[in-house]
Amino acid sequence: MINAIFLFICMVFVTFIVVIFTLLSGEIYYIGLIVVVACILYLLFVFFMSHFFKTKKRKRVFISISIIAIIIASIQPIYRAYDSSKIIGNMEVDIYQYIPFSENGRIATLEEESSFKVTDDLPKIDGATALYPLYSAFVQATFPKKDYDPYFSEVMVNQTPNAYEKLFNGEVDMIFVAAPSDSQKKVAKNKGLELEMTPIGREAFVFFVNQKNQINGLTIDQIKDIYSGKVKNWEDVGGKNDSIRAFQRPEDSGSQSALQRLMGDKAIMEAPTENVASGMGDIIEEVANYRNYDNAIGYTFRFYVKEMVKNDQIKLLEIDGIAPTKETIQNGTYPLSTEFYIVTAGTDNPNVEPFIEWILSSQGQEILEKTGFVPVR
């Protein structure tokens, strides 16, 4: 009896710890199954110690009840696992294929030698995932040849929010990113930093849906209505009668800041946790990939989805009747064209300014265009 009580206390403690970790991980739909399995194991031990299983009938009854309990407790986890398996396509990108000086690299190169070279005092660089192929190509053209690990070197890629944070903390000299959010501007101001933003190229902020969605385009007003929560059904914007699952990005990410600028004074609806994608193709396991729902809508930047992900399970929407192409970005007809920047915050590295000037030169803009972006000049 004492052993049974001790085991019960241990089981309660272990179950409590497992439940806490499950809650912290956000996988709350496993809690019921965990509790059921813990109870079954405890009862199994108690019945075994008390010689309850003297007959085959008792064993069959216990096994049957246990199986039924586990099946019922497994319904939600199985549904969620199936739900999560429906991916619009793996938004992960093998970032290592864009490392400077890689033998099998996929970055743009110049036909001739670069007119600008850095030999010492290498500027420390960070930036958005979608811009890594671009600034990696700049580095290959101008920096000395060596290993530039994307997470532990002078040339890193840690996504927009982390890049801004590193810039504010003085850990890097320059970052390649979209314009800062209001909160990022506030942080810089509170730290006494003056952000210098140099536009180096143009890009399209795009919205996408599943290929099975019959919608091919939306107006800006319709997008605002969807992301404000005013429109909740595709039928209201010319689609089939189905609810709209509008994915968002975390605060301070480049694309979320772009959405906020698009929305203007109209408040963005609060997104459920499962509708927030952590990254634009997060490098390891942080991203919550956009789900392959017929009723889903998401947003990103054109280069990332067209050149890096190359996903044939989604389609980019026309906005106000204009498709997001290099031509429509260049001529200004695509309504959601936006500039991206090199952002500095008072670095004393002597090579930063000449490096920026070279990026804006014909050679730098040639690399930018070869990469797949639209030059500012």
Side-chain angles (χ1 to χ4, degrees):
M1 184 64 181
I2 295 177
N3 289 337
I5 293 173
F6 176 73
L7 178 63
F8 176 75
I9 294 173
C10 291
M11 289 289 294
V12 169
F13 177 74
V14 171
T15 303
F16 175 76
I17 296 298
V18 173
V19 168
I20 291 297
F21 276 103
T22 304
L23 285 170
L24 291 175
S25 68
E27 309 292 332
I28 59 175
Y29 39 89
Y30 283 107
I31 290 177
L33 180 60
I34 292 171
V35 172
V36 167
V37 172
C39 290
I40 290 173
L41 291 175
Y42 171 72
L43 290 174
L44 180 64
F45 176 80
V46 171
F47 289 160
F48 180 79
M49 294 295 292
S50 60
H51 305 289
F52 177 78
F53 298 120
K54 290 182 178 179
T55 64
K56 290 183 178 180
K57 182 179 180 180
R58 289 183 176 182
K59 290 180 181 179
R60 284 197 298 268
V61 170
F62 179 81
I63 292 173
S64 299
I65 293 174
S66 298
I67 291 174
I68 292 171
I70 290 175
I71 290 173
I72 292 173
S74 299
I75 291 175
Q76 190 177 23
I78 291 172
Y79 170 76
R80 291 303 295 264
Y82 168 73
D83 206 29
S84 296
S85 70
K86 299 191 298 180
I87 304 296
I88 274 184
N90 189 1
M91 301 294 278
E92 292 274 353
V93 171
D94 180 10
I95 210 70
Y96 284 90
Q97 63 186 325
Y98 300 105
I99 292 179
F101 303 107
S102 172
E103 291 183 3
N104 301 314
R106 293 181 54 190
I107 58 178
T109 58
L110 292 171
E111 301 255 339
E112 72 282 349
E113 192 74 12
S114 170
S115 60
F116 171 75
K117 291 289 185 180
V118 182
T119 56
D120 53 17
D121 288 330
L122 303 183
K124 294 180 180 178
I125 303 172
D126 206 338
T129 305
L131 293 176
Y132 181 63
L134 175 60
Y135 64 83
S136 178
F138 291 152
V139 165
Q140 179 166 292
T142 60
F143 278 36
K145 184 175 182 179
K146 67 171 189 171
D147 179 32
Y148 294 97
D149 187 278
Y151 306 109
F152 305 101
S153 72
E154 296 92 344
V155 185
M156 298 179 291
V157 53
N158 287 298
Q159 299 185 345
T160 300
N162 292 334
Y164 270 106
E165 185 178 348
K166 287 182 178 295
L167 181 69
F168 296 158
N169 292 336
E171 298 176 45
V172 295
D173 298 301
M174 56 197 299
I175 58 176
F176 290 73
V177 287
S181 65
D182 289 340
S183 62
Q184 287 163 335
K185 291 178 182 177
K186 186 176 180 180
V187 171
K189 184 177 180 180
N190 291 339
K191 286 179 172 286
L193 299 173
E194 185 174 342
L195 299 182
E196 185 171 341
M197 299 167 52
T198 305
I200 61 170
R202 294 187 62 78
E203 175 62 307
F205 181 49
V206 298
F207 289 82
F208 61 86
V209 295
N210 190 278
Q211 278 286 4
K212 299 175 184 177
N213 195 320
Q214 67 186 53
I215 291 291
N216 293 313
L218 294 169
T219 67
I220 289 179
D221 286 339
Q222 287 173 332
I223 289 173
K224 289 182 177 181
D225 287 342
I226 288 172
Y227 275 94
S228 67
K230 180 180 178 181
V231 169
K232 299 180 180 179
N233 196 298
W234 284 111
E235 192 174 35
D236 296 331
V237 290
K240 66 179 182 179
N241 182 16
D242 197 358
S243 62
I244 298 175
R245 189 173 184 124
F247 283 95
Q248 294 189 40
R249 294 290 313 287
E251 194 73 19
D252 293 334
S253 64
S255 52
Q256 187 69 9
S257 298
L259 177 67
Q260 291 166 346
R261 285 189 290 273
L262 171 64
M263 296 292 288
D265 295 332
K266 186 170 284 191
I268 301 174
M269 66 178 175
E270 184 176 350
T273 302
E274 64 271 18
N275 282 10
V276 177
S278 299
M280 253 186 5
D282 210 315
I283 311 303
I284 306 175
E285 59 184 1
E286 296 177 4
V287 85
N289 290 319
Y290 289 100
R291 308 294 199 262
N292 191 15
Y293 297 107
D294 294 355
N295 63 339
I297 182 171
Y299 48 87
T300 183
F301 292 101
R302 183 197 60 87
F303 177 82
Y304 182 82
V305 72
K306 293 290 287 185
E307 303 297 334
M308 296 179 74
V309 175
K310 296 183 178 180
N311 191 306
D312 60 1
Q313 297 303 307
I314 61 176
K315 60 181 174 181
L316 302 188
L317 296 176
E318 294 181 354
I319 303 299
D320 289 344
I322 306 296
T325 66
K326 290 180 68 174
E327 292 72 28
T328 59
I329 299 170
Q330 182 76 63
N331 62 31
T333 56
Y334 181 71
L336 300 183
S337 296
T338 182
E339 292 179 328
F340 55 90
Y341 304 86
I342 293 174
V343 182
T344 59
T347 177
D348 58 1
N349 186 296
N351 288 314
V352 167
E353 209 54 50
F355 188 30
I356 294 175
E357 290 177 6
W358 176 82
I359 289 171
L360 294 173
S361 73
S362 58
Q363 284 190 329
Q365 293 293 287
E366 178 187 336
I367 285 180
L368 187 140
E369 193 165 16
K370 281 184 174 180
T371 300
F373 292 101
V374 176
V376 291
R377 297 183 178 181

